[in-house]
Structures are given as structure tokens and as C-alpha cells.
Amino acid sequence: KFLQAILNDFEWVMAQAVLAMAFLAWTTRTTARNDHTMLPVQTDSYCARGYPICSYTLACLHGYSLDCRTLGCNATEQSCEELGSFFRQSDWNGMCGTWEDVENRSECCQCVGDLPPPETVAPSTSFNRCYDSADRCPDSYSGSCCFTRLDCPSGYSLSEPIGICEQTDCGIENYSASELNYMGSYCNGIFPGDRVLCQTCVKEPGETTTTTSPALLTLVITTAGPEQVAASDYAAPTQNGEECDGPCSYTLTCPSGYRLDCRGVPCAEETLCSALGKFYQVKSWSNCGAQDVDRYECCRCARAIPSSADWEMLGRPEHAACRGRTPTDNSPSYYTVHRGIDDLDECKALCLQHFPRCKGIEHSRGRCEIWTRPEGISLGVELNVSGFTCMRFGWAAKHLVPVDGGLGRACRGTPRDNQPRYYRILEAETLQACQAMCTAAPLCYGIEFSSGRCEIWVERIGASVPMEGFACFAYDPAAIPVFTEKNILIP
């Protein structure tokens, strides 16, 4: 019995040791898991009409999974980015403190995985085809779609497609569009947006054969956000002459395809041109006498058509006409008419020839209106007849996203930084009109709107502060549109 008791104790000890080793191994594996993170891709969005409540559909690439956390109404963190650089908002409720049953302001998610992301390269594209047929475009409410063939080099294969609503290009590094459905049937909202399918070429171990896929013709200019604008969008001017009679002025010229982009530095500011950006040079300066407003005129060379410019559809294709301030505002002074232009792309090309004076187009049968209204095109009006298409060109308003919720916020460079040189002040009766002014502006990093007042920001918006009756939106082409002319929360 004594020996049996010893054996029983030994077996118990061994069993506990095995359990401890198993737990240690599980802990080690768990610790090693999910140690790679990525930014999720926002594939769709839906906002409650008339309420500051939005939901965003997020997806992960390369087999990663979502890791989500909530921010309560009283959380110290004010944004998802404060949880980590790869967190993105999946739900937002602006009714904290207003509705008693609202406990969380945001749900924030990142993508996590066990392995590092695979190596990818961009596919080559060919065989572009577009159709206006419900049979060929079953995933399009409007029966319009485009396909592009994607090819991968040897050793790579096409990834699974990811569908992104409210976009006509992918906006993901090394991803290309294989299919585009206008008014995609898989998109949320009363007014479903366009939906693009995106794929990349993923490197595989061992030799693989070239993979191809039918799929899109991208019909808009690829965009880059203010924080992503390529350096080639700007260049330093060349000084070719000097004239001094007390104050001095200089003759500046730009390379082909660029134009001078100038800004004044007020006499009240002790700022040099170099502080505005690395490409700015002095075009003229003054002694800031009684009649002088600016100390310096500073210029850089800007690409004639910047990479940030984008075409934006107003209203339904073939069913909307352009208007100015209101649905009946259609003054002939807003546009010039060009006849004999049957093709929409030909009308768009004519607008680009007149950019930046051209703010958009209205195209109908054999007729092309080149809109030059300085305040831009505010809206597209639904017509009872077909054949009219309204598009504007510039800083697309669909990429204006709310800063810290948007409503009840005033824009700032930093929380305590609101220098007048950061923005241009214009008059606007509605948020919609302010958005149009941003689209039409030579430079727009965002807007601040309050009653009758529209600030067009020419510097990046880095923060916001609470202020009743104000709204702050920043330009971010990587974000899915939240507020459009059909879904405005401010009258």
C-alpha cells in the first residue's frame, strides 16, 4: 500500500508536469500569434439619415482577421488612432451624452495575423471592356460595368478579390481593379455607390504559372491625398530676372506642365517663404508700408493638373443636370456650350484643356457644357428625361471626412493653432455649397463650415476643437465617403 501510494503520487506529479508543459506551449504559441498588424480596408459605409451615427464595413487582406475594441463615451482616447496606428473606425455614434442608452462612441479595429504580409507586385492590365447591359452587369443596378484583364508575372498568382464600395479605383498599394460596377448592388445605402473589385499578385513558394483574370477600365484620374501628394506635383521655380526699386520683385518661371501657385505672407506675420514649404520662393517683397498688405509674395510651381484632382459624379449618370447654388440656379454665365461632342470622355478632355478654370461638365446628346463658375458646381438635379450627366473635377467632396465626428467641431492645425494663413474665407449658405467651393479651389485640404461662412483650408488639418454650430471636414482620399450631397446633416 505504501508503494502504491508513492506510485499514485508520482503519477499525479507527472500528470501535473504534462499539463504545465502543455499550458506553457499553448501560452508560447498564443504569445507568438497575432504579432503582425495591418490597417483594415474600409469596403462600405452606412450613415443614419439625419443622425451622426455611422457604420463602416472593414476587411483584412492576406488572411488576417479583425481585432476590435470599443471606446466608451467617457474614454480618455478621442480617436481610434490613439489605440495604435493600425486601428480604423468601424462604428461611430455621435449621440454620446445626448441619448442615455448610448454607451460607446466608437468601435475601433485593426487586422492581426500570425505571419508577415506576403510579398506582392502590381498586376499588369490589358483587355479593357465596358458594357451598358444588365445581362453583362448583373451586379450593377444601373446595368453599367467595366472589366480589365489582370496578369501576374511568373512566380506570382492573383489574390482573392476584395470589393470596395464608393470607389472607382483601389487605392491600395500593388492592387489593381479587375471589375467596376456602377451603382453596385452589394453596396449599402439608399443611393448605392459604385463598387470596384481589387486584386494583387502574391508571391508563392516555388514556381507558378502566370495567372490572369478578366476584369475594369478605370474611368477617373487616380487620386493622392494631401498627405500623399507626390513631390512631383510641385517644383521650385527658376528665377530669370530681378527688379529692385526699394522693394524687389523677381521673374519666376515653371517647367512645362506646371504653373505658378502663389500665396501672400501678411505684414502682420514674421514668416519667410521657406516656412510655407520647400518649393516656395520669393516673387516679391515689400517694406510693409501704410499701403502694403503682404510682406512677401511666395510662389512654387504646381502641376497644371494635380494628382489629387478627381472626377466626381453628381446625381445619377444620364439622369442629372448641373446646378449652381440651388436646384433652379442655372445661369448661362456659369458655363460655355460646345456642340457636336457626342462622347462623354471627349467632353471631360475638353474640360481638362481649360483646367483650372473648368470646374466640371454637363454632357448631353451632342452638347458639352464647360462649367467655369468660380464657386463650383454645388449639386446635380434629377431630371425627368435621360441623357444628361453632371460631373465636377477637382478636390472631390466625397473624400471630405469628419474630423473628430465633424459636427460641433472647428478645424485647427494643432489644438491651439488657428493661424489665418491656414485658410481662405468664403461665403456659403450651406455645407453643400462649401463642399463645392472646396472642389473648385486650387488647393483644399479640408473645410470648416458655420452659418454663412466657409473656410477653405490650404494647410493640413491636424486637430479640431469643440465649437457649437461649426463643422470640420478634412480631405482624405483613402476614406470611404460618409457625407454626400444626398446625406447632409447640416442645413
Side-chain angles (χ1 to χ4, degrees):
K1 291 181 180 179
F2 177 73
L3 291 175
Q4 184 64 42
I6 293 177
L7 288 174
N8 289 340
D9 289 343
F10 178 75
E11 290 175 357
W12 182 86
V13 171
M14 291 299 296
Q16 294 301 311
V18 170
L19 288 175
M21 293 177 64
F23 177 77
L24 180 61
W26 177 84
T27 303
T28 303
R29 287 197 302 270
T30 302
T31 305
R33 289 179 60 195
N34 297 341
D35 57 352
H36 298 280
T37 55
M38 291 181 65
L39 188 70
V41 177
Q42 188 170 310
T43 60
D44 203 357
S45 66
Y46 178 76
C47 291
R49 193 173 181 86
Y51 294 95
I53 301 172
C54 294
S55 177
Y56 311 96
T57 304
L58 303 180
C60 294
L61 305 176
H62 310 307
Y64 279 39
S65 58
L66 286 174
D67 168 33
C68 299
R69 307 174 194 177
T70 57
L71 291 181
C73 291
N74 298 320
T76 56
E77 297 88 355
Q78 296 299 309
S79 66
C80 291
E81 289 74 14
E82 293 184 44
L83 297 177
S85 59
F86 294 109
F87 278 92
R88 172 172 274 184
Q89 204 167 50
S90 64
D91 284 297
W92 169 67
N93 194 320
M95 301 305 292
C96 276
T98 303
W99 290 353
E100 293 182 358
D101 59 342
V102 176
E103 298 179 353
N104 297 319
R105 183 192 309 117
S106 298
E107 182 181 52
C108 309
C109 301
Q110 65 178 352
C111 292
V112 296
D114 301 339
L115 301 173
E119 180 182 334
T120 62
V121 296
S124 59
T125 60
S126 61
F127 191 71
N128 299 321
R129 292 292 186 272
C130 290
Y131 303 98
D132 287 316
S133 166
D135 293 335
R136 291 182 178 270
C137 308
D139 295 333
S140 166
Y141 282 126
S142 64
S144 299
C145 61
C146 295
F147 298 89
T148 290
R149 176 192 177 106
L150 301 182
D151 299 298
C152 289
S154 178
Y156 292 79
S157 60
L158 278 175
S159 67
E160 289 295 318
I162 179 172
I164 305 176
C165 292
E166 298 289 350
Q167 289 187 200
T168 51
D169 56 3
C170 295
I172 309 173
E173 184 178 7
N174 289 337
Y175 275 74
S176 296
S178 59
E179 182 177 339
L180 172 63
N181 287 285
Y182 294 99
M183 296 185 68
S185 59
Y186 288 97
C187 295
N188 292 320
I190 300 175
F191 302 96
D194 304 330
R195 185 173 187 261
V196 63
L197 292 183
C198 302
Q199 294 175 273
T200 187
C201 294
V202 180
K203 187 175 184 180
E204 293 186 345
E207 185 176 354
T208 60
T209 57
T210 299
T211 307
T212 63
S213 170
L216 148 142
L217 177 60
T218 300
L219 300 179
V220 299
I221 293 179
T222 302
T223 64
E227 66 285 339
Q228 300 169 322
V229 171
S232 59
D233 272 3
Y234 303 104
T238 301
Q239 183 176 323
N240 293 319
E242 178 183 25
E243 182 178 343
C244 291
D245 182 12
C248 292
S249 61
Y250 308 93
T251 303
L252 303 180
T253 59
C254 291
S256 177
Y258 289 74
R259 56 181 174 79
L260 279 178
D261 171 33
C262 300
R263 296 168 56 184
V265 175
C267 288
E269 297 183 16
E270 297 292 337
T271 303
L272 300 176
C273 288
S274 57
L276 301 180
K278 72 176 190 176
F279 295 114
Y280 280 97
Q281 294 189 13
V282 177
K283 186 174 187 292
S284 63
W285 61 271
S286 71
N287 291 321
C288 283
Q291 304 299 319
D292 296 320
V293 176
D294 292 333
R295 182 182 307 276
Y296 298 107
E297 182 182 19
C298 309
C299 301
R300 64 181 174 182
C301 294
R303 189 186 294 275
I305 300 179
S307 62
S308 51
D310 193 0
W311 284 104
E312 182 174 33
M313 187 77 67
L314 295 181
R316 287 195 299 150
E318 296 289 328
H319 289 85
C322 298
R323 292 294 184 265
R325 187 174 57 88
T326 67
T328 59
D329 187 16
N330 189 33
S331 170
S333 64
Y334 293 163
Y335 53 83
T336 57
V337 178
H338 300 261
R339 302 188 183 276
I341 298 179
D342 298 317
D343 186 67
L344 175 64
D345 287 339
E346 185 179 355
C347 185
K348 290 162 66 176
L350 186 61
C351 174
L352 297 184
Q353 293 177 19
H354 293 84
F355 186 82
R357 187 166 177 265
C358 178
K359 310 301 181 185
I361 61 168
E362 178 188 292
H363 181 260
S364 54
R365 301 175 185 87
R367 188 176 188 271
C368 174
E369 291 181 2
I370 300 297
W371 274 64
T372 56
R373 180 176 181 257
E375 299 85 359
I377 305 170
S378 292
L379 67 161
V381 175
E382 195 84 4
L383 299 178
N384 293 325
V385 296
S386 63
F388 287 78
T389 297
C390 177
M391 302 182 73
R392 59 188 177 194
F393 186 73
W395 298 80
K398 64 184 179 183
H399 296 314
L400 289 170
V401 297
V403 177
D404 300 328
L407 305 182
R409 312 293 298 188
C411 301
R412 294 291 185 267
T414 65
R416 297 185 179 181
D417 188 12
N418 189 34
Q419 298 185 43
R421 66 181 177 87
Y422 289 170
Y423 49 82
R424 304 287 179 264
I425 300 175
L426 301 172
E427 295 182 0
E429 296 180 6
T430 63
L431 172 63
Q432 193 174 28
C434 188
Q435 290 174 327
M437 291 175 181
C438 174
T439 302
L443 186 64
C444 181
Y445 288 162
I447 59 173
E448 179 189 288
F449 175 74
S450 55
S451 179
R453 187 177 189 271
C454 175
E455 289 182 2
I456 304 296
W457 275 64
V458 296
E459 296 288 344
R460 293 175 180 83
I461 298 172
S464 72
V465 296
M467 194 165 294
E468 186 176 352
F470 284 69
C472 178
F473 295 82
Y475 188 87
D476 181 6
I480 299 297
V482 175
F483 304 109
T484 70
E485 69 275 359
K486 299 172 184 173
N487 189 17
I488 295 174
L489 303 184
I490 295 181

